[in-house]
Amino acid sequence: MGEAQEFEQRLKEVADRVTVALDQLIPPAGGPEANLMRAMRHAALANGKRMRPFFLLETGAMFDAPEKTLLRAAAALECVHCYSLVHDDLPCMDDDDFRRGQPTVHKAFDEATAVLAGDALLTLAFKILASTETHDDASVRAMLIERLADASGARGMVGGQMIDMLESDSPRDLNTITRMQRLKTGALISYATEAAAIVGRAREAERNALAGFSNDLGLAYQIADDLLDATGSEDSAGKPLRTDEAAGKANFVTILGIEGARQRVRILATQAKEHLAIFREKAHILLQSVDFVLDRTH
């Protein structure tokens, strides 16, 4: 088995672990709220790559952080990510019918249920982090909660989505798109490594290195996503492609061109790897993750 295949196998194993954790954290329910729980499970248990939890778990492993804490933090992070997808897919936002190879929540259920399912997944994330089962040190739990609130809120992911929605009023240039994606996509990727550093009690130099790594990787991931949207297969992606083009929205590919975007990904990937030098051989899996982003086809 080649290195790329080994990495994909490891990625799948982590995704399966996170899915099992989410299955336990969002159990089926009876009563009037049963449909809400079904919608939450539809969103959270779908077949995703779980890249953000992967970065959190693999970064935490470098510091020998407690596995249970890392897995619960990863599940909380994935709840926030899934909530964002449910809301992004709504007709008032990106208006998408398919996600992760299945109908989006508002198509499988209805718009009101999709809104509530997203709300419930977001609040569940903070319940998970607040629990003593996640960590016995209240200061660690508080820091994980505070940083996730920042990463997912107005100065993070939601702020990036707002910039995305302003396209008609303020046409995008490269600086605007970069800022939008550093918030919309990059903030949660940065949280993944930051949360692992908090749990692993990383030194300042290590935290700074991880911040640089995740910043460059997050932007590379989004540019790769734009390339996939422009050149990929809908069957492989499990969702509609060419959506920005259909909506008349600028992205990294429309501004830089396909070759220019590929070159930018390569530059960011090189920088991301350089940030990891401080960790030496411990960063082997994270280094492989950069190559995965560079060559991703789904």
Side-chain angles (χ1 to χ4, degrees):
M1 185 183 291
E3 198 168 81
Q5 289 177 305
E6 287 179 5
F7 177 83
E8 292 229 24
Q9 180 62 32
R10 190 177 184 110
L11 183 62
K12 184 181 183 305
E13 289 169 359
V14 169
D16 289 344
R17 287 171 57 205
V18 173
T19 301
V20 169
L22 289 169
D23 183 44
Q24 295 170 346
L25 289 162
I26 315 171
E33 73 278 13
N35 209 43
L36 173 64
M37 301 300 287
R38 281 194 289 270
M40 292 170 68
R41 289 172 63 83
H42 181 89
L45 303 183
N47 183 31
K49 292 183 293 298
R50 315 287 192 200
M51 287 301 300
R52 291 153 189 81
F54 180 83
F55 292 134
L56 197 160
L57 288 162
E58 294 297 344
T59 302
M62 294 197 307
F63 299 104
D64 296 320
E67 186 171 330
K68 181 179 180 182
T69 297
L70 293 174
L71 186 57
R72 287 180 63 87
L77 174 55
E78 188 67 1
C79 282
V80 172
H81 178 55
C82 290
Y83 123 75
S84 75
L85 300 181
V86 173
H87 282 192
D88 281 0
D89 291 335
L90 287 167
C92 64
M93 302 280 271
D94 292 343
D95 194 14
D96 284 323
D97 294 347
F98 289 92
R99 170 77 67 176
R100 293 174 168 175
Q102 66 180 20
T104 48
V105 176
H106 71 275
K107 284 294 181 181
F109 296 85
D110 55 61
E111 289 184 35
T113 303
V115 171
L116 294 174
D119 293 344
L121 285 167
L122 174 61
T123 51
L124 175 61
F126 292 102
K127 174 180 171 59
I128 294 168
L129 293 180
S131 171
T132 54
E133 288 188 55
T134 297
H135 203 283
D136 57 9
D137 187 335
S139 66
V140 170
R141 300 197 305 272
M143 201 175 304
L144 289 172
I145 291 168
E146 180 183 13
R147 297 306 302 134
L148 183 57
D150 284 341
S152 59
R155 296 184 181 276
M157 181 188 68
V158 174
Q161 179 65 26
M162 186 72 253
I163 297 172
D164 194 11
M165 299 300 293
L166 295 174
E167 164 71 10
S168 59
D169 299 323
S170 178
R172 302 174 183 173
D173 57 19
L174 185 59
N175 287 337
T176 302
I177 291 175
T178 300
R179 175 168 174 73
M180 176 186 77
Q181 298 300 358
R182 284 198 188 283
L183 297 176
K184 184 178 177 181
T185 302
L188 288 189
I189 291 176
S190 292
Y191 177 79
T193 59
E194 185 178 16
I198 290 169
V199 176
R201 303 189 185 279
R203 295 179 292 111
E204 183 178 1
E206 293 169 330
R207 293 198 304 270
N208 290 339
L210 288 170
F213 163 75
S214 59
N215 196 38
D216 287 337
L217 185 73
L219 197 55
Y221 192 89
Q222 182 56 49
I223 299 174
D225 200 58
D226 287 349
L227 282 164
L228 188 62
D229 187 74
T231 64
S233 158
E234 290 192 358
D235 288 341
S236 296
K239 62 180 180 179
L241 299 181
R242 264 67 77 182
T243 52
D244 281 347
E245 180 183 341
K249 288 184 176 181
N251 61 30
F252 285 109
V253 172
T254 63
I255 289 180
L256 297 173
I258 289 176
E259 286 308 313
R262 284 174 176 159
Q263 182 180 11
R264 186 66 60 97
V265 170
R266 288 193 292 269
I267 291 170
L268 288 165
T270 298
Q271 291 174 181
K273 288 184 175 184
E274 288 171 352
H275 288 300
L276 295 175
I278 187 175
F279 300 108
R280 301 180 183 275
E281 67 278 357
K282 285 186 177 181
H284 176 65
I285 298 300
L286 291 185
L287 287 169
Q288 285 187 323
S289 75
V290 178
D291 293 330
F292 174 80
V293 169
L294 199 63
D295 301 326
R296 63 182 293 218
T297 58
H298 60 286

